[in-house]
Amino acid sequence: MRYCILLWLLLSFSAFSQEPLVMDVSKIEATIEPMEDELRVLGTVKVTFSVTQVADSVALDAKNMTIENKALESMLVKATADKIWLYDQFQPNRTYTAFFTYSAQPKQTFYFGNNQMWTQGQGKYTSHWLPSVDAMNDKIEFDLSFWASKDKTVISNGSLVSVKEEKNRKLWKFDMKNPMSSYLVAAAIGNFKKQELSTSDRISIQLYYEPKDSLKVEPTYRYTKNIFEFMEDEIGVPYPWSNYKEVPIRDFLYAGMENTSATFFSEAFMIDSIGFIDRNYVNINAHELAHQWFGNLVTETEGTHHWLHEGFATFYALLAEKEIFGTDYYYWKLYNSAEQLKALSDEGKGERLTNSEASSLTFYEKGAWALHRLRELVGAIPFKEGVKNYLNRFAFQNVTTDDFLSEMSKVTDIDLSTWRANWLDQSAFPDEEAYQSLMNSPFMSQYFEIVSLRSVSFEDKKTQLQVALQSENDFIGQEAVYQLLNEPFTAVEPFFKLALQTNNTMIRQAVALSLQEVPESFRKDYESLLSDPSYLTQEAALFALWTNFPAERQKYLEQLKSTHGFQNKNVRQLWLALALYTKDIPDSDKTRYAEELQSYTAPEYSFEIREKAFEMLYNMGLITDQVLHNLINACTHHYWRFRDAARAMLGDFVTEEENQNRVLQLMNDLNEKEKSYLKRKYDW
Ligand SMILES: [Zn+2]
């Protein structure tokens, strides 16, 4: 059983209203040439479509594109700010094709990273780089080809049918057999290698990685095959696409994205075996895979039904985790989301699941809760039957909440209207019903008993806490540790020692993360945390020991001198910062350490590494000209969260005039984008 907190990054999700489409696109074949130096995309596209009514013009969504050229016999093609228009005397019941070459300078959706090029369609519109249909209710077969330099690998939707070499480049041709919505189109181009798994029904699973991460492949992708086979079995409908690819993306905008047959996920999930304990990819892995059915095979008609994507993906990921980490873990996660949903609801901010503007918490977690309750209500077997019928009936089509419920009501005699009123149509969170459901878990009722001791005096709960610490259950043991914190240390010291003696990594971690002051009598025990198989524990323990026992600093640093930690180098960066403040470390070494920390601010590193380095260096006042240049560069980054933090830091830095002058002196070395930011913001 493992405790991990997943931050669901808020997806900027736009709701489309369901408008009748005049143009019905059936196929888009395109050859794409990304032009890295110019940050442009050149494409040749063939669009096959029909119309639902007589029309003399139809339009594809296409943002700021230029028509470069079109085949002579093709129809008249014209680009406007956000469309490409096709002109002819269109009649229903006929099939048309348009063929043209375009170029685009994508402001979003297609990203030219430092060593990877990649796309993010959902919430960002594929029409920024490929003429397509923004609305979700036109399902299109996409057959895409990409030019890339010879040393690069291309990953896109569907099966790779050929790779043709021509001089210094290669053309990668992909084929899809079935249609999907345009937001699911994807491509990643980079220095990727892959490992292949094959499942019991011979679907090939391709696990991509960069060569630098070859040792992280096993822990990162651990349980992938189990998850895949579990999902097919639990959902009851075979995986609907020709293969399944998973690709780690540097500086990705979200935790993961379920592009059809090609899930992209944040490189921050590339971890080693120790990283697995705190920050594994299992939940995201299962969530994005579940979307291949819920979202990709059946797709919402509009945002009102978004829970049919996120609620289902979250719920099925939870079921997969139950399979891997056990039933207690399943209930623990339900409990945690119930706490958040109840808090929101108590503030009067609860949201209906069918509100197209709802937050991620509602779509994901309330959606999963609604399904958990529905499954309890109708029973696991009818539930599975209903879901299976729903997927089969609406395969490769668009769906509404009513479509799902009508299939579900065919497999049960239970009236679903109360469930619907409580879970879908009401904005409040039905917390009493939820907590009653949680009490079905013996672990949860045991946990609530321990929680109820919070208000009991230490003297009166000693025995129970002792038992709890030895329960070997992560969450019960952690709760017992938290209850020790407000007591005088001498009174609870034996209990802290007991907690460390459990050898349970998560109970020990609770000690590392919560105890700020470590008395001398507890030092020996506490030092053992430095070698725990958890980078969170190691980071916290190193800091606490270094702070509490100045005489031993070098010894502690020596112990973790070759540890890097998570992908963001959490342990390494803390180590470097502490070493710079450690007496007796020679100045020559300190110079090297400062340089190493400063180098982590460079654009060649992921934003997760850079933001940590900036923060440390800024707090230590170690902003060299190179770091300052890197900080200005970060102000132009495509990831808004990182960019905003960098802008705030720079804004703070230049409040001093002397620092302003330093920026001005760098002006000549800056690129256009960096200069234009400073000009826009500061008029320099
Ligand atoms: Zn999702």
Side-chain angles (χ1 to χ4, degrees):
M1 199 158 54
R2 294 296 166 215
Y3 179 65
C4 79
I5 301 167
L6 286 161
L7 287 178
W8 284 106
L9 304 180
L10 198 73
L11 217 107
S12 77
F13 174 79
S14 309
F16 295 103
S17 56
Q18 184 180 12
E19 42 188 281
L21 298 165
V22 175
M23 187 186 199
D24 180 7
V25 180
S26 56
K27 193 166 185 172
I28 292 181
E29 293 154 272
T31 301
I32 306 294
E33 188 181 348
M35 321 232 301
E36 225 177 328
D37 296 340
E38 300 168 42
L39 307 178
R40 264 191 338 132
V41 167
L42 201 64
T44 300
V45 65
K46 182 178 161 194
V47 185
T48 307
F49 63 96
S50 56
V51 294
T52 53
Q53 62 191 65
V54 173
D56 52 17
S57 66
V58 291
L60 291 159
D61 293 309
K63 310 272 187 303
N64 295 312
M65 289 187 185
T66 315
I67 301 296
E68 295 289 336
N69 149 9
K70 64 180 183 65
L72 284 177
E73 284 144 68
S74 184
M75 60 197 69
L76 181 62
V77 182
K78 226 172 99 181
T80 57
D82 60 355
K83 302 266 185 226
I84 285 178
W85 291 90
L86 309 170
Y87 298 90
D88 206 338
Q89 298 305 314
F90 298 114
Q91 306 285 334
N93 305 318
R94 271 195 57 190
T95 304
Y96 297 90
T97 55
F99 187 78
F100 56 90
T101 299
Y102 67 93
S103 77
Q105 190 138 29
K107 280 213 183 73
Q108 57 185 50
T109 322
F110 194 108
Y111 300 92
F112 295 89
N114 220 293
N115 55 349
Q116 296 174 349
M117 286 176 267
W118 51 275
T119 63
Q120 167 59 33
Q122 188 168 38
K124 298 287 171 193
Y125 306 119
T126 296
S127 58
H128 278 273
W129 64 276
L130 178 70
S132 49
V133 180
D134 287 348
M136 286 175 284
N137 52 351
D138 192 356
K139 294 219 173 186
I140 302 168
E141 184 189 331
F142 288 89
D143 291 334
L144 305 181
S145 302
F146 294 86
W147 283 110
S149 63
K150 230 163 74 177
D151 56 325
K152 295 279 195 272
T153 297
V154 181
I155 300 133
S156 184
N157 312 96
S159 306
L160 178 65
V161 287
S162 67
V163 183
K164 268 195 294 192
E165 202 168 322
E166 185 199 278
K167 287 181 188 156
N168 282 326
R169 54 183 203 160
K170 287 179 181 170
L171 181 66
W172 298 66
K173 197 168 167 21
F174 294 85
D175 172 61
M176 282 193 83
K177 292 274 176 266
N178 286 302
M180 64 177 186
S181 304
S182 298
Y183 76 90
L184 295 164
V185 171
I189 302 175
N191 186 14
F192 294 113
K193 291 202 172 325
K194 69 174 172 188
Q195 266 186 28
E196 212 159 338
L197 305 173
S198 149
T199 62
S200 45
D201 66 356
R202 292 183 312 272
I203 293 286
S204 147
I205 304 178
Q206 299 161 24
L207 311 176
Y208 285 86
Y209 62 95
E210 290 197 345
K212 68 175 168 61
D213 290 329
S214 63
L215 296 175
K216 296 180 176 170
V217 174
E218 186 284 318
T220 300
Y221 289 113
R222 194 174 291 169
Y223 300 118
T224 297
K225 193 170 166 174
N226 309 48
I227 294 169
F228 193 97
E229 290 175 354
F230 169 80
M231 218 53 103
E232 281 203 309
D233 187 54
E234 181 63 39
I235 294 170
V237 175
Y239 176 76
W241 312 99
S242 60
N243 59 25
Y244 188 51
K245 301 165 289 278
E246 300 184 66
V247 191
I249 302 287
R250 167 82 56 90
D251 290 350
F252 199 51
L253 303 168
Y254 309 113
M257 174 62 204
E258 70 274 17
N259 311 298
T260 301
S261 81
T263 283
F264 292 175
F265 65 97
S266 161
E267 192 198 62
F269 289 107
M270 290 302 292
I271 36 99
D272 58 20
S273 280
I274 295 179
F276 183 91
I277 306 284
D278 301 307
R279 202 165 284 184
N280 63 61
Y281 171 56
V282 171
N283 178 272
I284 304 294
N285 196 348
H287 179 105
E288 307 308 341
L289 176 62
H291 272 311
Q292 301 295 329
W293 287 266
F294 306 106
N296 300 8
L297 178 62
V298 298
T299 309
E300 67 195 59
T301 53
E302 55 184 313
T304 329
H305 311 292
H306 195 48
W307 80 283
L308 294 176
H309 294 191
E310 298 307 343
F312 276 74
T314 306
F315 180 61
Y316 278 88
L318 203 49
L319 291 178
E321 287 181 294
K322 183 178 171 188
E323 194 70 7
I324 295 165
F325 300 128
T327 308
D328 292 356
Y329 186 79
Y330 173 84
Y331 280 101
W332 176 253
K333 287 194 78 171
L334 280 173
Y335 162 65
N336 274 289
S337 65
E339 290 278 276
Q340 291 178 52
L341 287 160
K342 183 181 184 308
L344 192 76
S345 184
D346 288 350
E347 282 175 51
K349 292 182 187 159
E351 297 164 326
R352 272 184 303 117
L353 252 182
T354 49
N355 172 357
S356 63
E357 304 288 312
S359 63
S360 299
L361 182 65
T362 297
F363 284 136
Y364 288 67
E365 305 302 341
K366 196 180 189 183
W369 255 106
L371 291 170
H372 163 76
R373 282 296 299 138
L374 182 63
R375 191 166 180 259
E376 279 187 335
L377 194 66
V378 302
I381 293 168
F383 179 86
K384 184 172 169 178
E385 190 65 18
V387 169
K388 184 174 144 183
N389 294 344
Y390 158 70
L391 289 170
N392 282 329
R393 165 122 194 239
F394 296 101
F396 305 108
Q397 297 171 44
N398 290 89
V399 284
T400 63
T401 301
D402 283 341
D403 293 333
F404 169 63
L405 286 181
S406 84
E407 289 307 315
M408 201 44 87
S409 53
K410 284 178 200 160
V411 296
T412 180
D413 294 331
I414 295 167
D415 176 20
L416 301 179
S417 59
T418 310
W419 173 84
R420 183 181 181 138
N422 286 346
W423 289 95
L424 301 187
D425 296 335
Q426 120 173 302
S427 53
F429 178 68
D431 57 321
E432 274 177 38
E433 189 181 332
Y435 285 93
Q436 236 160 43
S437 168
L438 289 173
M439 295 304 272
N440 290 333
S441 150
F443 149 68
M444 280 310 321
S445 31
Q446 205 190 339
Y447 175 78
F448 288 138
E449 270 174 43
I450 301 295
V451 169
S452 71
L453 297 176
R454 282 179 192 175
S455 52
V456 174
S457 77
F458 178 64
E459 282 306 315
D460 293 338
K461 62 182 176 186
K462 272 178 154 174
T463 320
Q464 285 112 307
L465 289 187
Q466 194 167 0
V467 174
L469 283 172
Q470 286 167 312
S471 75
E472 280 296 315
N473 176 295
D474 295 2
F475 311 119
I476 288 175
Q478 288 181 328
E479 172 60 26
V481 170
Y482 300 142
Q483 291 191 28
L484 302 175
L485 291 171
N486 294 327
E487 311 296 331
F489 190 80
T490 41
V492 294
E493 184 162 0
F495 288 78
F496 273 112
K497 289 191 169 170
L498 195 61
L500 294 188
Q501 279 158 18
T502 60
N503 284 328
N504 175 310
T505 305
M506 303 321 283
I507 298 176
R508 289 169 57 88
Q509 184 177 85
V511 176
L513 297 183
S514 59
L515 197 64
Q516 310 292 325
E517 270 173 53
V518 185
E520 173 61 33
S521 58
F522 193 46
R523 180 166 65 88
K524 273 274 163 289
D525 301 87
Y526 193 93
E527 281 173 351
S528 68
L529 289 167
L530 278 181
S531 32
D532 265 27
S534 154
Y535 291 133
L536 285 182
T537 302
Q538 289 181 9
E539 184 186 4
L542 176 62
F543 185 73
L545 287 166
W546 189 92
T547 315
N548 283 282
F549 307 105
E552 308 284 344
R553 285 176 176 173
Q554 272 181 296
K555 183 179 94 184
Y556 300 137
L557 290 171
E558 181 63 23
Q559 210 176 323
L560 290 182
K561 69 175 178 195
S562 43
T563 304
H564 279 248
F566 299 118
Q567 178 256 17
N568 66 357
K569 300 184 185 287
N570 65 322
V571 178
R572 182 63 184 168
Q573 298 208 51
L574 173 68
W575 191 98
L576 291 167
L578 295 179
L580 289 173
Y581 285 106
T582 302
K583 237 179 31 187
D584 301 333
I585 286 186
D587 282 348
S588 58
D589 286 348
K590 284 187 181 172
T591 308
R592 267 194 305 123
Y593 298 152
E595 281 167 5
E596 183 183 340
L597 194 52
Q598 283 153 351
S599 76
Y600 292 146
T601 62
E604 72 203 69
Y605 290 100
S606 74
F607 77 80
E608 293 94 344
I609 297 175
R610 298 175 72 192
E611 72 184 350
K612 225 176 178 35
F614 280 128
E615 220 175 270
M616 295 212 166
L617 292 165
Y618 195 70
N619 289 332
M620 296 189 287
L622 291 177
I623 305 293
T624 60
D625 281 353
Q626 187 56 56
V627 172
L628 184 56
H629 189 161
N630 292 341
L631 182 63
I632 298 167
N633 171 275
C635 293
T636 67
H637 198 270
H638 67 258
Y639 182 48
W640 63 271
R641 216 185 278 269
F642 175 59
R643 181 178 64 216
D644 287 356
R647 288 178 177 186
M649 190 177 280
L650 184 69
D652 189 57
F653 184 74
V654 298
T655 48
E656 281 177 42
E657 204 176 317
E658 171 195 348
N659 289 338
Q660 267 183 40
N661 291 333
R662 286 184 58 195
V663 173
L664 291 171
Q665 272 162 19
L666 282 177
M667 271 318 218
N668 287 336
D669 300 333
L670 303 182
N671 68 30
E672 281 314 309
K673 224 173 147 189
E674 292 160 356
K675 271 186 205 159
S676 95
Y677 169 67
L678 293 181
K679 184 154 182 47
R680 228 174 36 245
K681 172 80 190 179
Y682 298 103
D683 202 20
W684 290 339

